[in-house]
Amino acid sequence: MLRILMLLIALLPWPALATLQVFACEPEWAALTRELGGDAVKVFTATTARQDPHHIQARPSLIARMRRADLLVCTGAELEIGWLPLLLRKASNGKVQPGRPGHFLAAEQLPLLERPSHLDRAEGDVHAQGNPHVHTDPRNIARIAKALAARLASIDPDRADHYRQRLRDFTDRWQQAMADWTERAAPLRGRQVVVQHRQWPYLLDWLGMQRVATLEPKPGLPPTPGHLAALKTQLATQPADLILRAAYLDPAPARWLSRQTGIPEVVLPFTVGGSDAAQDLFTLFEDTLTRLLGALQ
Ligand SMILES: [Zn+2]
């Protein structure tokens, strides 16, 4: 009797596992979660590449999405401090609250650059825990992928093998791509750049480039005519190779400085969707390098 019962159970169609609902704060984490989750995850992205992720409105539609989420994947390190805590409070979804397994922050998976030695809010929109824009270095993406795959497996243990397999596959392709990128990027090494917002320290660290000036007078504050004029003077005696701007930022200040100094301006996608070519994490870095190298010629 028992044997027949067990046979019957074995013959029953395996119940389909529910899709994991993921709330990603930024497009890069949505893309990474899709790489690692495949058809086991359904990812909602709270922001687009055309928006400034520091400043988002906690809209009711975002609260509704957060309420349904099994897992939240965000940058952390205070990038979303202006909107994520409010969303979490309003959604009151226990699964994704800070400290719960469903609350995954990319910036917690690695040491951050630009940790301020002292905190002074008068210095502008300083990120107290260090620079949060970690996704601009593909080596960081590899580390975060490993941690995120482990987290997916721990909150969805029935599919742990699925996530492990996809991580292996992603990591193989990513290591290969990184080797190619590093080779292609050789002419960028040692180049000096002006940035609009300090969102590239990880990219510059990876490529061996240096930031020599910032268009924002203080982090998060828009460039002022006085500050731009001072930069023009500075760059006349200490020239730089490129001016970098993320696609979502106001184009006017970088364009003005480029015209005044003759230093080429490069618009970088910054995240997935930030350019027509940057459709996933691979093409994001592909396109970033193409644009940087193209501007040097
Ligand atoms: Zn920032």
Side-chain angles (χ1 to χ4, degrees):
M1 181 61 200
L2 186 65
R3 217 177 296 162
I4 293 169
L5 201 65
M6 281 168 70
L7 186 70
L8 275 175
I9 289 170
L11 288 175
L12 282 173
W14 194 254
L17 294 168
T19 313
L20 206 69
Q21 302 289 324
V22 180
F23 182 104
C25 283
E26 291 87 21
E28 63 270 22
W29 308 132
L32 185 59
T33 310
R34 286 196 188 100
E35 292 279 359
L36 301 173
D39 54 13
V41 297
K42 189 158 186 263
V43 184
F44 169 77
T45 318
T47 61
T48 73
R50 300 286 163 198
Q51 291 175 300
D52 180 346
H54 304 81
H55 304 287
I56 296 296
Q57 263 204 319
R59 302 189 307 276
S61 60
L62 294 181
I63 298 165
R65 292 290 186 161
M66 181 74 87
R67 208 164 271 152
R68 291 202 290 274
D70 301 304
L71 171 67
L72 162 158
V73 183
C74 295
T75 300
E78 299 194 350
L79 175 68
E80 302 97 347
I81 197 167
W83 52 282
L84 187 57
L86 183 64
L87 275 186
L88 282 164
R89 205 162 50 243
K90 296 241 164 151
S92 64
N93 171 356
K95 285 193 267 189
V96 296
Q97 296 299 318
R100 305 286 306 168
H103 189 93
F104 181 92
L105 300 180
E108 285 183 352
Q109 315 306 323
L110 31 97
L112 301 185
L113 298 176
E114 299 184 347
R115 283 182 76 103
S117 50
H118 71 287
L119 246 200
D120 184 356
R121 293 290 173 189
E123 287 307 304
D125 218 350
V126 176
H127 299 297
Q129 295 165 25
N131 193 297
H133 306 292
V134 293
H135 73 280
T136 60
D137 180 342
R139 297 171 300 183
N140 289 353
I141 297 283
R143 293 173 74 160
I144 294 161
K146 210 171 152 203
L148 181 56
R151 187 66 65 90
L152 284 163
S154 88
I155 61 173
D156 188 12
D158 289 340
R159 275 184 289 220
D161 282 340
H162 167 82
Y163 299 120
R164 266 192 287 273
Q165 179 56 45
R166 290 194 70 98
L167 173 67
R168 265 196 300 272
D169 175 61
F170 172 76
T171 306
D172 284 351
R173 290 182 292 127
W174 196 250
Q175 298 295 344
Q176 180 60 54
M178 271 207 289
D180 294 346
W181 294 331
T182 309
E183 209 181 300
R184 259 184 80 198
L188 296 170
R189 190 154 287 279
R191 300 292 181 163
Q192 308 214 307
V193 299
V194 180
V195 302
Q196 181 146 347
H197 173 63
R198 283 161 66 158
Q199 61 202 150
W200 309 105
Y202 299 92
L203 178 80
L204 300 182
D205 183 56
W206 172 52
L207 296 174
M209 298 166 86
Q210 280 95 41
R211 173 176 57 84
V212 293
T214 308
L215 296 193
E216 291 179 347
K218 287 173 179 179
L221 301 184
T224 58
H227 182 65
L228 289 176
L231 285 183
K232 183 185 160 186
T233 311
Q234 178 197 327
L235 292 166
T237 51
Q238 303 164 286
D241 298 296
L242 300 169
I243 301 174
L244 309 190
R245 172 173 71 81
Y248 72 83
L249 284 166
D250 172 16
R255 215 167 270 168
W256 180 85
L257 192 65
S258 174
R259 236 177 264 140
Q260 295 293 317
T261 58
I263 301 169
E265 178 208 9
V266 193
V267 181
L268 296 179
F270 185 59
T271 185
V272 175
S275 68
D276 288 343
Q279 289 307 309
D280 58 21
L281 288 167
F282 290 89
T283 46
L284 168 64
F285 283 95
E286 233 8 278
D287 192 40
T288 299
L289 283 186
T290 300
R291 286 164 179 257
L292 287 170
L293 291 163
L296 278 186
Q297 279 151 16

